Amino acid sequence: MTETRHLTSIGEIARDTWDSLVPASCFYQSHGWLAGQERPDFAEATYTVVSSDGRLLAATPSYDFPAKNAPPLPPVAADRAVLRVGTRTGYHNEFLLAGAEAERRVALAELVEGLAEHAARLGQGALLFDFLTTDSLRSLAALFPVRAQLRSAEAVIHNEEGTFESYRRLLGHNVRKRDYEVRKFEQAGLSLATAPLSECVDELAPLIGQTMDRYDASLDLAEIRAFLKVQAEHLDGLSTVFRVVDEEGGLVGGHVAFAWREMLYARVAGFDYTRTRGAYEYFNAVYYGPLRHMERRRLDTLHLGLSAVEAKVRRGARLHPVWAAVLPLPLVRGAGLTRDTAADQALADSLRAEAGGGMDEEEWELGRITPL
């Protein structure tokens, strides 16, 4: 017999138990990452788990945001008060399930029904699964009538052979330009050193602030430092900071990444623009240095997230669609998927034009996306 529970902190469930459901693609749903995201002053987190005889079958976080902190809603959810299910904002989102296909289907149904009850108690009118993968969207739509829209594309470098030389082969005709970026960096007298995040918080926070200011995303320095300290507390063993240093060892910039299963996740970078030398510091710190590091650690996939898709595709990334999926409440059983197909196709065409490649035609054939 299964049981559905709602926990108020990720600390109420053992790290190994939760992480037993978390594949390589789901670092942003791992125990350590979620622990670092718990901020009751910002959003109320709940962890819904489905288990049977002590075995965890399904799990997800959800977030109830007060109006002052709520992220913008996608248009498909704009007419509802929503409970956000899965990753908090802007991160890869898929269902954490155990067992064979039939067991997973039952566990997902019970998980969603538990979420619907929780949302109703909060007075919410819908469940929002934002930045959801296509497979998870199809699984959800096989059980419940879903309203969905294409949200964006996430960029991932799939380097199956796991070496820097195999990465170079992925680049095709772009390899000469990328080799030039590596040479330019080295000729400028710059190099990369690595350290865990806990050793770099104070030196890196101001540089991240500079970069955020440069791109009109300013954040208070104390807030940046606090965020990095919390991540170091929960994730230091998974962290690597790629430190760009000059000939004297002075810090020019840095990039924070986290290793999870077979993947490395690029997180945040910052630079001192009074010391950069126009030597492709960003790309060496975020791409080339990490890919060499991955070879040594036997990691084969670099997750680069959303936005700036052209630069990522030119450096070997593939683009995968992510979706916003809404379940209106009260919940109704039955398969269904409703989309504005023209709007979805327009966004896909825009992404294709911007990226100039990196999109598998079958994966991006949106008209073929139906409930499983």
Side-chain angles (χ1 to χ4, degrees):
M1 183 175 179
T2 60
E3 176 188 18
T4 301
R5 295 177 293 149
H6 304 288
L7 311 177
T8 58
S9 171
I10 193 68
E12 294 181 47
I13 189 166
R15 187 168 187 152
D16 289 348
T17 300
W18 180 279
D19 284 346
S20 68
L21 292 185
V22 183
S25 57
C26 290
F27 167 68
Y28 295 119
Q29 287 157 288
S30 67
H31 194 284
W33 177 262
L34 294 175
Q37 296 287 298
E38 278 191 7
R39 286 187 50 184
D41 60 320
F42 192 68
E44 180 184 340
T46 300
Y47 306 87
T48 301
V49 297
V50 177
S51 56
S52 177
D53 298 324
R55 176 175 169 241
L56 190 62
L57 301 176
T60 188
S62 62
Y63 296 92
D64 181 25
F65 281 86
K68 65 179 181 178
N69 293 336
L73 290 170
V76 73
D79 61 341
R80 302 274 178 164
V82 304
L83 178 69
R84 290 180 177 267
V85 181
T87 51
R88 197 172 75 181
T89 52
Y91 302 127
H92 177 102
N93 191 4
E94 63 181 277
F95 295 121
L96 306 182
L97 305 168
E101 184 177 347
E103 190 176 24
R104 292 164 68 92
R105 184 183 177 97
V106 171
L108 177 58
E110 296 192 12
L111 180 71
V112 174
E113 288 168 350
L115 287 163
E117 293 173 1
H118 174 56
R121 286 194 295 270
L122 294 172
Q124 307 288 19
L127 302 175
L128 170 61
F129 304 81
D130 211 1
F131 299 95
L132 196 65
T133 65
T134 298
D135 285 346
S136 287
L137 171 65
R138 296 183 67 207
S139 296
L140 185 64
L143 297 168
F144 305 98
V146 177
R147 294 162 45 184
Q149 72 173 97
L150 182 64
R151 194 72 158 100
S152 187
E154 59 180 353
V156 182
I157 295 177
H158 302 277
N159 184 21
E160 294 180 1
E161 295 180 45
T163 69
F164 193 76
E165 185 56 35
S166 64
Y167 164 69
R168 292 181 71 253
R169 291 196 295 271
L170 287 178
L171 296 173
H173 68 275
N174 282 318
V175 68
R176 290 185 178 180
K177 293 180 181 178
R178 308 294 79 88
D179 285 349
Y180 170 76
E181 292 172 353
V182 174
R183 289 197 306 273
K184 184 78 170 176
F185 181 80
E186 294 171 347
Q187 291 168 359
L190 300 174
S191 60
L192 286 175
T194 60
L197 179 57
S198 59
E199 296 180 8
C200 305
V201 169
D202 289 336
E203 66 173 6
L204 192 58
L207 276 60
I208 292 172
Q210 280 194 42
T211 298
M212 295 183 75
D213 290 344
R214 191 181 183 96
Y215 293 99
D216 297 321
S218 297
L219 192 64
D220 182 75
L221 180 58
E223 182 76 8
I224 297 171
R225 186 176 285 111
F227 189 69
L228 294 176
K229 283 183 177 179
V230 169
Q231 290 192 349
E233 177 184 348
H234 294 284
L235 295 162
D236 207 40
L238 305 178
S239 72
T240 301
V241 177
F242 296 89
R243 302 173 69 252
V244 179
V245 295
D246 61 20
E247 299 89 338
E248 289 76 39
L251 187 66
V252 176
H255 161 227
V256 183
F258 295 100
W260 179 252
R261 312 297 192 205
E262 302 84 35
M263 295 179 67
L264 188 72
Y265 285 75
R267 277 300 307 143
V268 65
F271 295 88
D272 180 347
Y273 296 101
T274 68
R275 305 186 69 181
T276 54
R277 301 177 179 181
Y280 301 99
E281 291 90 345
Y282 175 86
F283 295 113
N284 279 272
V286 177
Y287 292 79
Y288 313 134
L291 282 156
R292 292 186 187 279
H293 174 84
M294 288 166 61
E295 179 176 0
R296 295 189 292 271
R297 299 296 181 91
R298 298 184 179 180
L299 309 175
D300 59 21
T301 308
L302 178 59
H303 188 277
L304 297 166
L306 310 170
S307 75
V309 292
E310 179 185 13
K312 293 170 182 176
V313 167
R314 286 182 180 275
R315 289 163 181 83
R318 307 297 296 177
L319 301 182
H320 305 289
V322 287
W323 303 82
V326 175
L327 289 183
L329 302 179
L331 202 60
V332 176
R333 289 295 294 262
L337 180 58
T338 302
R339 296 192 293 118
D340 183 337
T341 55
D344 288 346
Q345 191 60 54
L347 177 55
D349 292 344
S350 175
L351 288 166
R352 184 176 286 104
E354 178 186 353
M359 298 171 76
D360 178 79
E361 290 304 318
E362 184 174 352
E363 183 179 14
W364 284 90
E365 182 55 58
L366 304 185
R368 301 174 60 182
I369 295 174
T370 59
L372 285 175

